[in-house]
Amino acid sequence: MRVAGLLLAAGAGRRFGSPKALVPLDGKLFVDSAAELLRTAGCAPVVVVLGAQAAEVRSRAVLDGVTVVDNPRWETGMGSSLQTGLRAVGSADAVLVLPVDTPGVTVAALHRLMALAEPKALARATYHGEIGHPVLIGSDHFAGVMSSAAGDHGARDYLKANTVRHVDCADVADGADVDRPEDLSAIRPRSGGA
């Protein structure tokens, strides 16, 4: 099965105070760490969607071995970034969607979802009973997700309307998203290989 990786990194990070793609952690920008994570897990291609301060992200980030696309409508929310990214993925059996602000996600968590990859798949990581990321979307669902994605809901409405397999990843990853600078202090170092 060919599993693409889709990194959503277009937001302005209003609550954080700057785009989260540009947040440094352990010597790397969030956008580089997350793109590298998807590549290390074996996702191909890896598509990175940029928006807010895209030129600065391009100039400061490494972004090796990935396809970078701009979402001209990034201000409308995550839904348009998801649409932009799914269009750029091309042909794949499934796509693993990861927001840039979840630095506690590990390769092991990605592999748990990738193991379920097929065109009919819909799955998402859970952490201590709470739904989180990444989300696995099989190619049979791409059109439905793109047509329902709006605002900051991303694929939420589509996932609510369909049967989604929940995959517990709490033992191998931390699914917390970083919304404010003080959230950085709670991040566990990224570990948890295959």
Side-chain angles (χ1 to χ4, degrees):
M1 290 286 149
R2 186 162 170 247
V3 183
L6 175 52
L7 179 60
L8 303 178
R14 287 177 190 91
R15 285 178 290 178
F16 194 88
S18 67
K20 290 185 237 175
L22 293 168
V23 173
L25 183 68
D26 298 331
K28 287 186 181 176
L29 299 179
F30 269 20
V31 68
D32 284 323
S33 294
E36 184 180 303
L37 182 76
L38 289 165
R39 287 181 51 228
T40 300
C43 294
V46 172
V47 173
V48 178
V49 181
L50 300 181
Q53 298 183 30
E56 185 174 354
V57 174
R58 276 191 167 86
S59 71
R60 290 180 50 197
V62 179
L63 297 172
D64 282 338
V66 301
T67 300
V68 180
V69 295
D70 287 333
N71 173 12
R73 299 185 308 120
W74 65 268
E75 290 181 273
T76 64
M78 190 190 311
S80 62
S81 290
L82 186 57
Q83 292 166 339
T84 299
L86 284 174
R87 279 193 290 273
V89 160
S91 63
D93 296 299
V95 65
L96 205 51
V97 181
L98 187 68
V100 76
D101 64 352
T102 53
V105 172
T106 61
V107 168
L110 299 183
H111 282 171
R112 282 196 184 164
L113 276 92
M114 291 170 77
L116 305 173
E118 63 167 335
K120 293 181 177 9
L122 277 178
R124 70 185 312 165
T126 63
Y127 301 90
H128 307 291
E130 299 291 321
I131 56 173
H133 287 91
V135 174
L136 180 76
I137 301 171
S139 58
D140 288 358
H141 300 282
F142 288 3
V145 167
M146 284 195 283
S147 67
S148 70
D152 274 328
H153 288 229
R156 189 179 312 156
D157 292 342
Y158 188 85
L159 295 173
K160 278 185 184 174
N162 289 274
T163 302
V164 179
R165 182 163 175 184
H166 289 177
V167 180
D168 184 19
C169 294
D171 61 321
V172 295
D174 180 351
D177 58 334
V178 173
D179 287 328
R180 295 175 175 81
E182 54 268 26
D183 296 338
L184 290 171
S185 62
I187 297 172
R188 296 190 323 222
R190 199 183 288 259
S191 61

